[in-house]
């Protein structure tokens, strides 16, 4: 399937980054996004324990045909605890629950949010294929997977999109997934494209983040690594100023330059930032400046792995540690 060049990640309207906005504020942002021409919304079973899907569903009432709607299953909150479960029965039940919460009769793109390593990937993908045959979903996606897992999944059903983390400071996709998806005509949907706020220059002091903000437990925001990473920001700001855009827009322009199949999905709680991010699609940034951006912020210049050991064990995407 052909996705719009950029989408809107809806997670932080309900989940993960401290105290989310009120449902009314979230709804206003989503409606403003639709009015601004955003035509790809990305949500998930996990986000807010289902509340994010309900919010997106409210925004889409009367406007369903305007967007490519994506959601995910295989990872959910049970009694407030995140559970990865890729059994076919679980996935089929979650597809139905997503449809109910969203208030739609089909979801255009449905991802396996995480590969449950206790379940063969073919069984999980086979369940989503049956949901596709039933008309409940339009296409199958995978999230945080390796090329090897993608290839195994493709033996069972066509895969339309892979959603992996990709940004200037997270280059794991360049260990094979960027080229594999390009070769097969698969969308590479880049989540956290502005590096969880780092590349939008919006973090400040990580110690001041809300108590439940997930970045508090991420190594790159630790007291050890943050000073090294923050030292890159003055040059980053200068590059954005030279390009005549915001730091976030420069990060998005760099990603868009990586291939026509690369689809960033920045998230925000600010209507102004949403509009600014969306405008990056039409930016023209000098190739030489983008190359300098890629040299300034790269695996070799960023301190710390992207996840702590526990969350790292949950993902399947290639790592630089394994490649070393």
């Amino acid at each position: 399937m052909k996705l719009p060049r950029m989408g809107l990640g809806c997670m932080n309207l309900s989940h993960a980054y401290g105290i989310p906005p009120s449902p009314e504020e979230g709804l206003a942002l989503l409606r403003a996004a639709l009015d601004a021409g955003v035509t790809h919304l990305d949500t998930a079973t996990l986000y807010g324990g289902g509340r994010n899907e309900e919010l997106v569903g409210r925004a889409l009432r009367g406007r369903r045909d305007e967007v490519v709607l994506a959601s995910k299953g295989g990872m959910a909150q049970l009694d407030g605890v995140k559970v990865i479960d890729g059994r076919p029965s679980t996935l089929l039940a979650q597809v139905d629950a997503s449809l109910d919460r969203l208030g739609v009769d089909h979801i255009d793109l449905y991802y396996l949010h995480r590969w449950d390593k206790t379940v063969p990937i073919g069984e999980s993908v086979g369940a989503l294929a049956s949901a596709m045959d039933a008309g409940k979903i339009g296409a199958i996606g995978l999230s945080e997977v390796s090329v090897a897992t993608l290839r195994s999944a493709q033996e069972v059903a066509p895969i339309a999109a892979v959603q992996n983390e990709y940004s200037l400071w997270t280059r794991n996709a360049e260990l094979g997934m960027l080229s594999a998806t390009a070769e097969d005509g698969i969308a590479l949907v880049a989540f956290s494209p502005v590096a969880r706020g780092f590349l939008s220059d919006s973090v400040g002091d990580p110690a001041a983040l809300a108590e439940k903000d997930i970045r508090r437990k991420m190594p790159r925001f630790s007291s050890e690594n943050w000073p090294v990473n923050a030292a890159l920001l003055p040059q980053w700001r200068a590059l954005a100023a030279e390009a005549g855009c915001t730091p976030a827009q420069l990060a998005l322009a760099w990603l868009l330059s990586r291939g026509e199949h690369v689809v960033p999905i920045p998230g925000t709680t600010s209507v102004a930032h949403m509009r600014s991010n969306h405008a990056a699609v039409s930016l023209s940034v000098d190739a030489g400046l983008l190359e300098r951006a890629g040299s300034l912020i790269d695996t070799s210049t960023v301190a710390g792995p992207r996840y702590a050991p526990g969350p790292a064990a949950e993902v399947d995407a290639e790592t630089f540690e394994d490649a070393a």
Side-chain angles (χ1 to χ4, degrees):
M1 69 186 302
K2 180 68 174 177
L3 292 177
R5 279 314 315 272
M6 191 180 298
L8 177 67
C10 300
M11 178 180 76
N12 56 357
L13 298 178
S14 310
H15 187 84
Y17 295 117
I19 301 171
S22 70
E24 292 73 24
E25 291 170 325
L27 185 61
L29 183 139
L30 290 170
R31 287 174 172 165
L34 296 176
D35 292 341
V38 173
T39 55
H40 175 199
L41 300 181
D42 182 274
T43 181
T45 295
L46 176 73
Y47 302 159
R51 293 189 302 276
N52 195 248
E53 287 182 318
E54 293 171 352
L55 183 66
V56 170
R58 289 175 63 193
L60 289 180
R61 287 173 190 165
R63 307 186 70 170
R64 171 66 182 91
D65 293 341
E66 297 179 27
V67 303
V68 175
L69 176 59
S71 193
K72 312 176 195 73
M75 185 159 64
Q77 289 188 37
L78 296 179
D79 297 324
V81 177
K82 181 181 68 178
V83 175
I84 297 173
D85 184 349
R87 291 175 296 173
S89 59
T90 298
L91 289 173
L92 292 174
Q94 288 180 351
V95 168
D96 288 340
S98 290
L99 290 168
D100 288 342
R101 286 190 292 264
L102 288 160
V104 299
D105 61 6
H106 75 284
I107 299 167
D108 300 300
L109 174 60
Y110 202 86
Y111 295 91
L112 180 66
H113 203 162
R114 290 289 186 275
W115 173 35
D116 178 352
K117 297 173 184 179
T118 68
V119 179
I121 188 66
E123 292 185 15
S124 297
V125 171
L128 295 181
S130 67
M132 187 166 63
D133 290 341
K136 296 180 179 181
I137 65 175
I140 300 170
L142 304 173
S143 182
E144 286 281 36
V145 296
S146 64
V147 173
T149 300
L150 169 62
R151 296 297 184 224
S152 296
Q154 287 175 302
E155 294 177 2
V156 178
I159 303 300
V162 171
Q163 184 176 139
N164 282 6
E165 184 174 356
Y166 189 25
S167 70
L168 281 157
W169 88 338
T170 295
R171 303 291 190 92
N172 302 58
E174 296 173 4
L175 295 173
M177 188 58 77
L178 180 64
S179 58
T181 48
E183 291 166 5
D184 290 358
I186 296 171
L188 177 56
V189 178
F191 77 82
S192 297
V194 295
R196 303 184 188 276
F198 174 76
L199 293 172
S200 62
D201 196 18
S202 62
V203 175
D205 179 8
L209 293 171
E211 181 181 353
K212 293 186 178 181
D213 193 304
I214 61 173
R215 290 171 291 188
R216 281 184 164 273
K217 297 182 179 180
M218 290 184 163
R220 291 175 183 173
F221 296 93
S222 71
S223 58
E224 176 185 3
N225 294 319
W226 178 252
V228 177
N229 296 329
L232 300 170
L233 289 173
Q235 294 179 73
W236 176 245
R237 295 183 196 112
L239 276 178
E242 184 179 342
C245 64
T246 69
Q249 286 177 326
L250 181 56
L252 295 168
W254 181 86
L255 266 176
L256 290 165
S257 76
R258 305 305 289 166
E260 289 292 321
H261 69 302
V262 178
V263 178
I265 51 167
T268 182
T269 59
S270 162
V271 171
H273 290 166
M274 175 276 296
R275 290 174 176 150
S276 177
N277 290 343
H278 187 58
V281 173
S282 56
L283 277 179
S284 178
V285 181
D286 177 73
L289 193 149
L290 292 175
E291 185 175 352
R292 286 156 58 199
S295 297
L296 173 65
I297 299 176
D298 192 2
T299 304
S300 62
T301 64
V302 170
R306 66 187 183 117
Y307 286 131
E314 297 174 354
V315 304
D316 176 57
E318 287 82 4
T319 69
F320 285 92
E321 291 79 9
D322 289 341

Coordinates of all heavy atoms in Angstrom, one line a residue, residues 3 55 74 91 95-96 105 153 165 180 233 282 285 311:
L3 N 1.6 4.8 1.4 CA 1.3 5.6 2.5 C 1.6 7.1 2.2 O 2.5 7.3 1.4 CB 2.1 5.2 3.8 CG 1.7 3.9 4.4 CD1 2.7 3.6 5.6 CD2 0.3 3.8 4.9
L55 N -10.0 7.9 21.4 CA -9.8 9.3 21.0 C -9.7 9.5 19.5 O -10.4 10.4 18.9 CB -8.5 9.8 21.7 CG -8.2 11.3 21.5 CD1 -9.3 12.2 22.2 CD2 -6.8 11.6 22.1
G74 N -1.0 -7.1 19.7 CA 0.1 -8.0 20.2 C 0.9 -7.4 21.4 O 1.7 -8.1 21.9
L91 N -4.5 -12.0 19.1 CA -4.5 -10.9 18.1 C -5.9 -10.7 17.4 O -6.3 -9.6 17.2 CB -3.5 -11.4 17.0 CG -2.0 -11.3 17.4 CD1 -1.1 -11.9 16.3 CD2 -1.6 -9.8 17.7
V95 N -7.9 -7.2 17.4 CA -8.4 -6.6 16.2 C -9.8 -6.1 16.3 O -10.2 -5.0 16.1 CB -8.2 -7.5 14.9 CG1 -9.0 -6.9 13.7 CG2 -6.8 -7.6 14.5
D96 N -10.6 -7.1 16.8 CA -12.1 -6.8 17.1 C -12.2 -5.6 18.1 O -13.1 -4.7 17.9 CB -12.8 -8.0 17.5 CG -13.0 -9.0 16.4 OD1 -12.9 -8.6 15.2 OD2 -13.3 -10.2 16.8
D105 N -15.4 0.1 10.6 CA -15.6 -1.3 10.2 C -14.3 -1.9 9.6 O -14.3 -3.1 9.3 CB -16.7 -1.3 9.2 CG -16.5 -0.5 7.9 OD1 -15.3 0.0 7.7 OD2 -17.4 -0.4 7.1
A153 N 8.1 -13.7 7.9 CA 6.7 -13.2 7.8 C 6.2 -13.2 6.4 O 5.0 -13.5 6.1 CB 6.5 -11.9 8.5
E165 N 12.0 2.2 14.9 CA 12.5 3.5 15.3 C 13.6 3.8 14.3 O 14.5 3.0 13.9 CB 13.1 3.4 16.7 CG 13.6 4.8 17.1 CD 14.1 4.8 18.6 OE1 13.9 3.8 19.3 OE2 14.5 5.9 19.0
A180 N 16.1 -3.3 2.6 CA 15.2 -4.5 2.4 C 13.8 -4.0 2.1 O 13.1 -4.5 1.2 CB 15.2 -5.4 3.6
L233 N 23.7 19.8 20.7 CA 22.6 20.7 20.3 C 22.9 22.1 19.8 O 22.3 22.5 18.9 CB 21.6 20.8 21.5 CG 20.9 19.5 21.8 CD1 20.1 19.6 23.1 CD2 19.9 19.1 20.7
S282 N 7.1 19.6 2.5 CA 7.4 20.4 1.4 C 8.7 21.3 1.5 O 8.9 22.1 0.6 CB 6.2 21.4 1.1 OG 5.9 22.2 2.3
V285 N 15.7 21.2 1.5 CA 17.0 21.5 2.2 C 18.1 21.0 1.4 O 18.1 19.9 0.8 CB 16.9 20.7 3.6 CG1 18.2 21.0 4.4 CG2 15.7 21.2 4.4
P311 N 13.7 -3.5 28.2 CA 13.0 -3.2 26.9 C 13.8 -3.6 25.7 O 13.2 -4.0 24.7 CB 12.9 -1.6 27.0 CG 13.0 -1.3 28.5 CD 13.9 -2.3 29.0

